[in-house]
Amino acid sequence: MTREVRTAMARQIYARHVAHAAAPGDTGLRGALEAALAAIPRERFLPPGPWHLARPQGGYAETPDDDPISLYQDLPVAIRRERHLNNGQPSFIAGLVARGRPRRGMSAVHVGAGTGYYTALMARLAGREGRVLGIEHDPGLAEHATMALGDLPQVRVVAGDGAAMPLPAADLILVNAGAARPAETWLDALATGGRLILPLTAGALPGTPITRGAVFLIEREAEERYAARCLSPTLIYPCAGARDPEAERALARALAAGGQEAVRTLYRGDALPEDRCWLRGPGWCLAYG
């Protein structure tokens, strides 16, 4: 059996396990995720092997060689090990994509595209009739993503600040990095019914840049109405363009106090009373009820 055949078999098994973990209750979406993951060579989106797999207890374990079969595990893989920058855990990020209700023909934005692996997942879910914009702050990673995604014409990758540049109208925006606040451009770009997957994080793990916090799902229900709810805790690399000291301090206080599970609305404006807000910033708040 050739390496290519063994790798394809491993990828198919991995795709099934990851898709089931990401969308256990939705047969149609689970099947779409499985087909997409089975078609994407993870090794194309990583530096040459041997690779460094993140260990649950911390640190990395090096693969014994450059056989891609080692990559088809539900583990993060280092992209820039010295920066603690990884291709994230497949079931977690595919699960976030799933919570955004991806569909064929969608317009999607991936902020923090890295080398493009999960951008490829979004593109395959969108199909040739969809459009996906990948934005990556690091020009070297953006160049890698552009080359790796060359067989998917529905994808465009740009290097820049994904929290500052104007965005096209989007059905799904995945922010794949920890922000301290929602960017106005993300909220403005959401189409009615569109969903924003937003990790809000404050404070780094000792000795690393990795920040901790919670992932929120924001849905634009109408022109000026946004539903919001907390999905899960998270540990994630910071989003360079969506952090500032004041926002981080406010978020750290809110996370320390707890109560994010009761958030139900993102309100744009400053009129809401303080006791209705879990977290407030200039011109917005995450509110209860």
Side-chain angles (χ1 to χ4, degrees), residues 169-197:
D171 303 302
L172 169 60
I173 301 174
L174 170 64
V175 180
N176 200 8
R181 53 177 171 76
E184 293 287 323
T185 53
W186 301 338
L187 300 175
D188 290 342
L190 277 184
T192 301
R195 291 185 158 201
L196 166 65
I197 308 297

Side-chain angles (χ1 to χ4, degrees), residues 85-109:
L85 181 62
N86 300 326
N87 176 250
Q89 184 175 13
S91 62
F92 179 69
I93 300 183
L96 295 183
V97 173
R99 302 301 284 271
R101 290 204 302 253
R103 56 176 176 78
R104 294 192 71 82
M106 71 176 175
S107 174
V109 177

Side-chain angles (χ1 to χ4, degrees), residues 86-181:
N86 300 326
N87 176 250
Q89 184 175 13
S91 62
F92 179 69
I93 300 183
L96 295 183
V97 173
R99 302 301 284 271
R101 290 204 302 253
R103 56 176 176 78
R104 294 192 71 82
M106 71 176 175
S107 174
V109 177
H110 185 191
V111 178
T115 53
Y117 180 66
Y118 297 104
T119 317
L121 173 61
M122 294 168 73
R124 288 195 172 272
L125 293 169
R128 294 294 176 109
E129 60 270 43
R131 292 290 178 269
V132 178
L133 173 63
I135 307 171
E136 173 50 47
H137 197 266
D138 183 313
L141 298 181
E143 182 179 4
H144 187 140
T146 298
M147 292 187 293
L149 291 160
D151 64 335
L152 295 170
Q154 65 269 45
V155 180
R156 179 169 66 96
V157 178
V158 298
D161 184 349
M165 65 178 63
L167 301 179
D171 303 302
L172 169 60
I173 301 174
L174 170 64
V175 180
N176 200 8
R181 53 177 171 76

